[in-house]
Short mmCIF file of all heavy atoms in Angstrom, two decimals:
data_model
loop_
_atom_site.label_atom_id
_atom_site.label_comp_id
_atom_site.label_asym_id
_atom_site.label_seq_id
_atom_site.Cartn_x
_atom_site.Cartn_y
_atom_site.Cartn_z
N ALA A 1 0.86 -1.18 0.00
CA ALA A 1 0.00 0.00 0.00
C ALA A 1 0.90 1.23 0.00
O ALA A 1 0.87 2.05 0.92
CB ALA A 1 -0.93 -0.01 1.20
N SER A 2 1.73 1.35 -1.04
CA SER A 2 2.69 2.45 -1.12
C SER A 2 2.86 2.86 -2.58
O SER A 2 2.28 2.26 -3.47
CB SER A 2 4.04 2.02 -0.54
OG SER A 2 4.67 1.10 -1.43
N PHE A 3 3.67 3.89 -2.79
CA PHE A 3 3.96 4.35 -4.16
C PHE A 3 5.41 4.07 -4.53
O PHE A 3 5.94 4.64 -5.48
CB PHE A 3 3.65 5.85 -4.29
CG PHE A 3 2.18 6.15 -4.31
CD1 PHE A 3 1.52 6.47 -3.14
CD2 PHE A 3 1.46 6.09 -5.48
CE1 PHE A 3 0.16 6.74 -3.14
CE2 PHE A 3 0.10 6.36 -5.50
CZ PHE A 3 -0.56 6.68 -4.32
N ASP A 4 6.06 3.18 -3.80
CA ASP A 4 7.43 2.80 -4.12
C ASP A 4 7.46 1.98 -5.40
O ASP A 4 6.53 1.24 -5.71
CB ASP A 4 8.04 1.98 -2.99
CG ASP A 4 8.19 2.79 -1.71
OD1 ASP A 4 8.40 4.02 -1.81
OD2 ASP A 4 8.09 2.21 -0.61
N GLY A 5 8.58 2.08 -6.12
CA GLY A 5 8.76 1.28 -7.34
C GLY A 5 9.16 -0.14 -6.99
O GLY A 5 9.06 -0.59 -5.84
N LYS A 6 9.62 -0.87 -7.98
CA LYS A 6 9.98 -2.27 -7.78
C LYS A 6 11.10 -2.41 -6.75
O LYS A 6 12.01 -1.59 -6.70
CB LYS A 6 10.42 -2.91 -9.10
CG LYS A 6 9.29 -3.08 -10.10
CD LYS A 6 9.78 -3.75 -11.37
CE LYS A 6 8.63 -3.95 -12.36
NZ LYS A 6 9.07 -4.61 -13.61
N ASP A 7 11.00 -3.45 -5.96
CA ASP A 7 12.05 -3.78 -4.99
C ASP A 7 12.89 -4.92 -5.56
O ASP A 7 12.44 -5.66 -6.44
CB ASP A 7 11.42 -4.19 -3.66
CG ASP A 7 12.43 -4.17 -2.53
OD1 ASP A 7 13.56 -3.69 -2.75
OD2 ASP A 7 12.08 -4.63 -1.43
N GLN A 8 14.10 -5.06 -5.05
CA GLN A 8 14.99 -6.12 -5.51
C GLN A 8 15.43 -6.99 -4.34
O GLN A 8 15.58 -6.51 -3.21
CB GLN A 8 16.24 -5.54 -6.18
CG GLN A 8 16.01 -4.93 -7.54
CD GLN A 8 17.32 -4.54 -8.20
OE1 GLN A 8 18.37 -4.51 -7.57
NE2 GLN A 8 17.26 -4.27 -9.49
N PHE A 9 15.57 -8.28 -4.61
CA PHE A 9 16.18 -9.17 -3.63
C PHE A 9 16.94 -10.27 -4.36
O PHE A 9 16.70 -10.53 -5.54
CB PHE A 9 15.13 -9.75 -2.66
CG PHE A 9 14.25 -10.81 -3.27
CD1 PHE A 9 14.57 -12.15 -3.15
CD2 PHE A 9 13.09 -10.47 -3.95
CE1 PHE A 9 13.77 -13.13 -3.70
CE2 PHE A 9 12.28 -11.43 -4.51
CZ PHE A 9 12.62 -12.78 -4.38
N ILE A 10 17.84 -10.90 -3.65
CA ILE A 10 18.66 -11.97 -4.21
C ILE A 10 18.03 -13.29 -3.81
O ILE A 10 17.84 -13.57 -2.62
CB ILE A 10 20.11 -11.91 -3.72
CG1 ILE A 10 20.70 -10.51 -3.99
CG2 ILE A 10 20.94 -12.99 -4.39
CD1 ILE A 10 20.71 -10.11 -5.44
N SER A 11 17.68 -14.12 -4.78
CA SER A 11 17.05 -15.40 -4.50
C SER A 11 18.06 -16.40 -3.96
O SER A 11 19.28 -16.14 -3.95
CB SER A 11 16.40 -15.97 -5.76
OG SER A 11 17.39 -16.39 -6.68
N LEU A 12 17.56 -17.56 -3.51
CA LEU A 12 18.45 -18.61 -3.00
C LEU A 12 19.38 -19.12 -4.08
O LEU A 12 20.47 -19.66 -3.78
CB LEU A 12 17.60 -19.77 -2.46
CG LEU A 12 16.77 -19.47 -1.20
CD1 LEU A 12 15.92 -20.67 -0.85
CD2 LEU A 12 17.69 -19.10 -0.04
N GLN A 13 18.98 -18.95 -5.35
CA GLN A 13 19.82 -19.38 -6.46
C GLN A 13 20.85 -18.32 -6.84
O GLN A 13 21.67 -18.53 -7.72
CB GLN A 13 18.96 -19.69 -7.69
CG GLN A 13 18.04 -20.89 -7.49
CD GLN A 13 17.13 -21.10 -8.69
OE1 GLN A 13 16.60 -20.15 -9.25
NE2 GLN A 13 16.96 -22.35 -9.08
N GLY A 14 20.77 -17.15 -6.19
CA GLY A 14 21.71 -16.09 -6.49
C GLY A 14 21.25 -15.14 -7.57
O GLY A 14 22.03 -14.27 -8.00
N ASP A 15 20.00 -15.28 -8.03
CA ASP A 15 19.47 -14.39 -9.07
C ASP A 15 18.92 -13.11 -8.44
O ASP A 15 18.37 -13.11 -7.34
CB ASP A 15 18.36 -15.09 -9.85
CG ASP A 15 18.85 -16.35 -10.55
OD1 ASP A 15 20.02 -16.35 -10.99
OD2 ASP A 15 18.08 -17.32 -10.64
N THR A 16 19.03 -12.03 -9.19
CA THR A 16 18.43 -10.76 -8.79
C THR A 16 16.98 -10.73 -9.28
O THR A 16 16.73 -10.87 -10.47
CB THR A 16 19.19 -9.57 -9.36
OG1 THR A 16 20.54 -9.61 -8.88
CG2 THR A 16 18.54 -8.25 -8.94
N VAL A 17 16.04 -10.57 -8.36
CA VAL A 17 14.62 -10.61 -8.69
C VAL A 17 13.99 -9.25 -8.41
O VAL A 17 14.20 -8.67 -7.33
CB VAL A 17 13.89 -11.70 -7.87
CG1 VAL A 17 12.41 -11.73 -8.23
CG2 VAL A 17 14.53 -13.06 -8.11
N ASN A 18 13.26 -8.72 -9.38
CA ASN A 18 12.53 -7.46 -9.21
C ASN A 18 11.08 -7.78 -8.85
O ASN A 18 10.41 -8.51 -9.57
CB ASN A 18 12.58 -6.64 -10.49
CG ASN A 18 13.99 -6.18 -10.83
OD1 ASN A 18 14.71 -5.70 -9.95
ND2 ASN A 18 14.39 -6.30 -12.08
N VAL A 19 10.61 -7.21 -7.76
CA VAL A 19 9.26 -7.47 -7.27
C VAL A 19 8.44 -6.18 -7.34
O VAL A 19 8.81 -5.16 -6.75
CB VAL A 19 9.27 -7.99 -5.82
CG1 VAL A 19 7.85 -8.26 -5.33
CG2 VAL A 19 10.11 -9.26 -5.73
N SER A 20 7.33 -6.22 -8.06
CA SER A 20 6.48 -5.04 -8.20
C SER A 20 5.74 -4.76 -6.90
O SER A 20 5.37 -5.68 -6.16
CB SER A 20 5.47 -5.26 -9.33
OG SER A 20 6.12 -5.37 -10.57
N ARG A 21 5.55 -3.48 -6.63
CA ARG A 21 4.80 -3.05 -5.46
C ARG A 21 3.77 -2.01 -5.91
O ARG A 21 3.33 -2.04 -7.03
CB ARG A 21 5.74 -2.49 -4.40
CG ARG A 21 6.72 -3.52 -3.86
CD ARG A 21 7.61 -2.94 -2.79
NE ARG A 21 8.58 -1.98 -3.33
CZ ARG A 21 9.51 -1.34 -2.62
NH1 ARG A 21 9.57 -1.55 -1.31
NH2 ARG A 21 10.36 -0.51 -3.18
N GLY A 22 3.38 -1.14 -4.99
CA GLY A 22 2.46 -0.07 -5.36
C GLY A 22 1.22 -0.04 -4.48
O GLY A 22 1.09 -0.80 -3.52
N PRO A 23 0.26 0.82 -4.80
CA PRO A 23 -0.96 0.98 -3.99
C PRO A 23 -1.97 -0.12 -4.29
O PRO A 23 -3.01 0.11 -4.90
CB PRO A 23 -1.47 2.36 -4.43
CG PRO A 23 -1.01 2.50 -5.85
CD PRO A 23 0.33 1.80 -5.91
N ALA A 24 -1.64 -1.33 -3.84
CA ALA A 24 -2.44 -2.50 -4.24
C ALA A 24 -3.62 -2.79 -3.30
O ALA A 24 -4.66 -3.24 -3.75
CB ALA A 24 -1.53 -3.73 -4.31
N ALA A 25 -3.46 -2.56 -2.00
CA ALA A 25 -4.46 -3.01 -1.03
C ALA A 25 -5.84 -2.43 -1.30
O ALA A 25 -6.85 -3.13 -1.26
CB ALA A 25 -4.00 -2.67 0.39
N GLY A 26 -5.91 -1.13 -1.59
CA GLY A 26 -7.20 -0.49 -1.83
C GLY A 26 -7.89 -1.02 -3.07
O GLY A 26 -9.11 -1.23 -3.08
N LEU A 27 -7.10 -1.25 -4.13
CA LEU A 27 -7.69 -1.77 -5.36
C LEU A 27 -8.20 -3.19 -5.16
O LEU A 27 -9.28 -3.55 -5.64
CB LEU A 27 -6.66 -1.72 -6.48
CG LEU A 27 -7.15 -2.09 -7.89
CD1 LEU A 27 -6.41 -1.26 -8.95
CD2 LEU A 27 -6.95 -3.58 -8.19
N ILE A 28 -7.44 -4.01 -4.45
CA ILE A 28 -7.84 -5.40 -4.24
C ILE A 28 -9.12 -5.46 -3.40
O ILE A 28 -9.97 -6.33 -3.59
CB ILE A 28 -6.69 -6.19 -3.58
CG1 ILE A 28 -5.50 -6.24 -4.54
CG2 ILE A 28 -7.13 -7.60 -3.22
CD1 ILE A 28 -4.20 -6.61 -3.88
N ALA A 29 -9.27 -4.52 -2.46
CA ALA A 29 -10.46 -4.50 -1.62
C ALA A 29 -11.72 -4.24 -2.45
O ALA A 29 -12.70 -4.98 -2.36
CB ALA A 29 -10.31 -3.43 -0.54
N ILE A 30 -11.70 -3.21 -3.28
CA ILE A 30 -12.90 -2.88 -4.05
C ILE A 30 -13.10 -3.85 -5.22
O ILE A 30 -14.21 -4.08 -5.67
CB ILE A 30 -12.86 -1.42 -4.56
CG1 ILE A 30 -14.20 -1.02 -5.20
CG2 ILE A 30 -11.72 -1.22 -5.54
CD1 ILE A 30 -15.40 -1.16 -4.30
N LYS A 31 -12.02 -4.47 -5.67
CA LYS A 31 -12.17 -5.44 -6.76
C LYS A 31 -13.04 -6.61 -6.31
O LYS A 31 -13.79 -7.18 -7.11
CB LYS A 31 -10.82 -5.96 -7.26
CG LYS A 31 -10.30 -7.22 -6.58
CD LYS A 31 -9.13 -7.82 -7.32
CE LYS A 31 -8.74 -9.15 -6.66
NZ LYS A 31 -7.61 -9.79 -7.30
N HIS A 32 -12.99 -6.95 -5.02
CA HIS A 32 -13.82 -8.04 -4.52
C HIS A 32 -15.15 -7.55 -4.01
O HIS A 32 -16.19 -8.12 -4.32
CB HIS A 32 -13.07 -8.81 -3.43
CG HIS A 32 -12.00 -9.71 -3.98
ND1 HIS A 32 -10.68 -9.61 -3.63
CD2 HIS A 32 -12.07 -10.72 -4.88
CE1 HIS A 32 -9.98 -10.51 -4.29
NE2 HIS A 32 -10.80 -11.19 -5.06
N LEU A 33 -15.15 -6.49 -3.22
CA LEU A 33 -16.41 -6.01 -2.66
C LEU A 33 -17.36 -5.58 -3.77
O LEU A 33 -18.57 -5.80 -3.68
CB LEU A 33 -16.14 -4.84 -1.71
CG LEU A 33 -17.35 -4.38 -0.92
CD1 LEU A 33 -17.77 -5.44 0.09
CD2 LEU A 33 -17.05 -3.06 -0.20
N GLY A 34 -16.83 -4.98 -4.83
CA GLY A 34 -17.66 -4.52 -5.94
C GLY A 34 -17.84 -5.56 -7.03
O GLY A 34 -18.32 -5.24 -8.11
N THR A 35 -17.46 -6.81 -6.76
CA THR A 35 -17.50 -7.91 -7.73
C THR A 35 -16.89 -7.49 -9.06
O THR A 35 -17.44 -7.75 -10.12
CB THR A 35 -18.93 -8.45 -7.92
OG1 THR A 35 -19.78 -7.44 -8.49
CG2 THR A 35 -19.53 -8.93 -6.62
N ASN A 36 -15.74 -6.83 -8.99
CA ASN A 36 -15.04 -6.41 -10.20
C ASN A 36 -14.11 -7.52 -10.69
O ASN A 36 -14.35 -8.11 -11.73
CB ASN A 36 -14.23 -5.14 -9.91
CG ASN A 36 -15.11 -3.95 -9.58
OD1 ASN A 36 -15.66 -3.32 -10.46
ND2 ASN A 36 -15.24 -3.62 -8.30
N GLY A 37 -13.03 -7.78 -9.92
CA GLY A 37 -12.21 -8.95 -10.21
C GLY A 37 -10.87 -8.71 -10.84
O GLY A 37 -10.03 -9.59 -10.86
N GLY A 38 -10.63 -7.52 -11.39
CA GLY A 38 -9.35 -7.29 -12.05
C GLY A 38 -8.20 -7.25 -11.06
O GLY A 38 -8.23 -6.52 -10.06
N GLY A 39 -7.15 -8.01 -11.31
CA GLY A 39 -6.04 -8.10 -10.36
C GLY A 39 -5.06 -6.96 -10.49
O GLY A 39 -4.79 -6.46 -11.58
N TYR A 40 -4.52 -6.52 -9.34
CA TYR A 40 -3.44 -5.54 -9.38
C TYR A 40 -2.21 -6.17 -10.01
O TYR A 40 -1.48 -5.54 -10.76
CB TYR A 40 -3.13 -5.04 -7.97
CG TYR A 40 -2.12 -3.92 -7.95
CD1 TYR A 40 -2.53 -2.60 -8.00
CD2 TYR A 40 -0.75 -4.18 -7.90
CE1 TYR A 40 -1.60 -1.56 -8.00
CE2 TYR A 40 0.18 -3.17 -7.91
CZ TYR A 40 -0.24 -1.85 -7.95
OH TYR A 40 0.69 -0.84 -7.97
N PHE A 41 -1.98 -7.45 -9.69
CA PHE A 41 -0.89 -8.21 -10.27
C PHE A 41 -1.44 -9.16 -11.33
O PHE A 41 -2.62 -9.54 -11.28
CB PHE A 41 -0.14 -8.99 -9.19
CG PHE A 41 0.48 -8.13 -8.13
CD1 PHE A 41 -0.16 -7.95 -6.91
CD2 PHE A 41 1.68 -7.47 -8.34
CE1 PHE A 41 0.39 -7.15 -5.91
CE2 PHE A 41 2.25 -6.68 -7.35
CZ PHE A 41 1.60 -6.51 -6.14
N GLY A 42 -0.59 -9.59 -12.24
CA GLY A 42 -1.04 -10.43 -13.34
C GLY A 42 -1.63 -11.75 -12.89
O GLY A 42 -2.56 -12.27 -13.49
N ALA A 43 -1.09 -12.31 -11.80
CA ALA A 43 -1.58 -13.60 -11.30
C ALA A 43 -2.83 -13.46 -10.44
O ALA A 43 -3.32 -14.44 -9.88
CB ALA A 43 -0.49 -14.31 -10.51
N ASN A 44 -3.31 -12.21 -10.29
CA ASN A 44 -4.52 -11.93 -9.54
C ASN A 44 -4.36 -12.41 -8.10
O ASN A 44 -3.29 -12.28 -7.53
CB ASN A 44 -5.73 -12.57 -10.23
CG ASN A 44 -7.04 -11.82 -9.98
OD1 ASN A 44 -7.61 -11.92 -8.91
ND2 ASN A 44 -7.49 -11.08 -10.97
N SER A 45 -5.36 -12.99 -7.50
CA SER A 45 -5.28 -13.37 -6.08
C SER A 45 -4.54 -14.69 -5.85
O SER A 45 -4.54 -15.21 -4.73
CB SER A 45 -6.68 -13.44 -5.47
OG SER A 45 -7.18 -12.13 -5.29
N ALA A 46 -3.89 -15.22 -6.88
CA ALA A 46 -2.92 -16.30 -6.68
C ALA A 46 -1.54 -15.73 -6.36
O ALA A 46 -0.64 -16.46 -5.98
CB ALA A 46 -2.84 -17.18 -7.93
N HIS A 47 -1.39 -14.40 -6.51
CA HIS A 47 -0.12 -13.73 -6.23
C HIS A 47 0.05 -13.59 -4.71
O HIS A 47 -0.87 -13.17 -4.02
CB HIS A 47 -0.11 -12.35 -6.90
CG HIS A 47 1.24 -11.72 -6.98
ND1 HIS A 47 1.90 -11.22 -5.87
CD2 HIS A 47 2.07 -11.49 -8.04
CE1 HIS A 47 3.06 -10.71 -6.24
NE2 HIS A 47 3.19 -10.86 -7.55
#
């Protein structure tokens, strides 16, 4: 629930991984309460 850009971390395999962030919590709340459904992330609520 922020406006920060992608974060980075090093995986167990040693790869650099970019993780998307952003103001997701509010959108996810109304996507369900309003029976909308569009995911903030591509994998939707499997993310």
Side-chain angles (χ1 to χ4, degrees):
S2 72
F3 287 93
D4 294 329
K6 291 182 179 180
D7 196 8
Q8 287 187 348
F9 73 94
I10 306 300
S11 71
L12 293 176
Q13 294 176 318
D15 299 326
T16 300
V17 180
N18 295 315
V19 180
S20 295
R21 296 182 290 181
L27 186 146
I28 296 163
I30 188 58
K31 92 167 185 181
H32 285 121
L33 188 68
T35 64
N36 295 280
Y40 186 91
F41 300 99
N44 209 284
S45 286
H47 195 289

